[in-house]
Amino acid sequence: MVRYKHRYIVVEIQIDGKPIHAPLKLKPYVLYEAVIEKVQQLHGDYGVALIKPGFMTKYCNEMTRIALMKTRHEPYRILASSLPFVNTLEGKSIALNTIYTGATMRQCFKFIQQHQRKHLNQAWSKLRTDDERKAFELAVMDLTMADPNNVSNT
């Protein structure tokens, strides 16, 4: 039996014209399709054939605009080189910034937790009531995985 090594890439999605603290309605499959399309443009059929078997969007947080993508170890550089060129998502002008690349999901989630804690501390002062703060904290610190029905892995 063969063990496949994976790489997990954490990206931050920045949208032109929207405030940093405004939530982003994003389905993981939309991000998956946009990345595959850009890999097709940059690396052709060869690039798509390399990354598609192990590529998956695992996590998207609407509040902090963080996404976690999984790919196989060998072609992860093709994926990583294509991410900065993804500039539209559902007709919106965006920028994808790679903020962390890890070998395990556990390490990526540790990094995401630290990153989201910083985001929470920055936004904490803008909220007025304790109920708003508690709801915002639950939304920001939500580390549940993406819905498997909306994620494509083939």
Side-chain angles (χ1 to χ4, degrees), residues 10 45 53 57 79 100 109 114 123 127 136-137 144:
V10 180
D45 291 337
T57 305
L79 176 65
Y100 185 75
F109 277 127
Q114 291 172 352
L127 301 174
F136 188 73
E137 182 178 13
T144 57

Side-chain angles (χ1 to χ4, degrees), residues 57-61 66-68 109 112 116 140 142-144 146:
T57 305
K58 300 288 280 181
Y59 169 77
C60 287
N61 189 314
I66 299 289
L68 175 69
F109 277 127
I112 290 172
Q116 289 177 337
V140 168
D142 180 28
L143 292 178
T144 57

Side-chain angles (χ1 to χ4, degrees), residues 4-139:
Y4 290 110
K5 292 182 180 181
H6 292 95
R7 286 292 175 257
Y8 299 89
I9 300 173
V10 180
V11 296
E12 183 177 40
I13 304 165
Q14 295 179 343
I15 298 181
D16 294 340
K18 260 198 164 179
I20 290 176
H21 301 296
L24 169 69
K25 301 292 183 194
L26 176 68
K27 294 196 181 342
Y29 187 72
V30 174
L31 183 60
Y32 171 86
E33 287 295 320
V35 172
I36 290 291
E37 180 182 322
K38 194 52 74 171
V39 170
Q40 174 71 37
Q41 288 177 358
L42 295 173
H43 300 284
D45 291 337
Y46 177 73
V48 173
L50 277 178
I51 71 161
K52 215 169 185 185
F55 179 55
M56 184 183 299
T57 305
K58 300 288 280 181
Y59 169 77
C60 287
N61 189 314
E62 294 177 352
M63 295 301 288
T64 57
R65 300 177 184 172
I66 299 289
L68 175 69
M69 292 180 257
K70 172 183 149 184
T71 188
R72 289 200 180 149
H73 179 269
E74 188 176 318
Y76 91 92
R77 286 188 178 100
I78 289 176
L79 176 65
S81 69
S82 301
L83 290 176
F85 296 103
V86 177
N87 52 13
T88 57
L89 201 59
E90 292 183 328
K92 299 173 191 158
S93 180
I94 65 157
L96 291 181
N97 297 327
T98 303
I99 55 176
Y100 185 75
T101 302
T104 65
M105 248 162 75
R106 181 179 177 155
Q107 290 300 320
C108 287
F109 277 127
K110 281 182 185 179
F111 177 82
I112 290 172
Q113 226 172 8
Q114 291 172 352
H115 187 270
Q116 289 177 337
R117 182 62 60 187
K118 289 176 191 173
H119 179 79
L120 180 65
N121 290 337
Q122 290 172 353
W124 198 260
S125 62
K126 293 181 177 81
L127 301 174
R128 291 186 170 81
T129 66
D130 286 336
D131 292 335
E132 286 178 351
R133 290 178 179 159
K134 197 63 151 171
F136 188 73
E137 182 178 13
L138 288 174

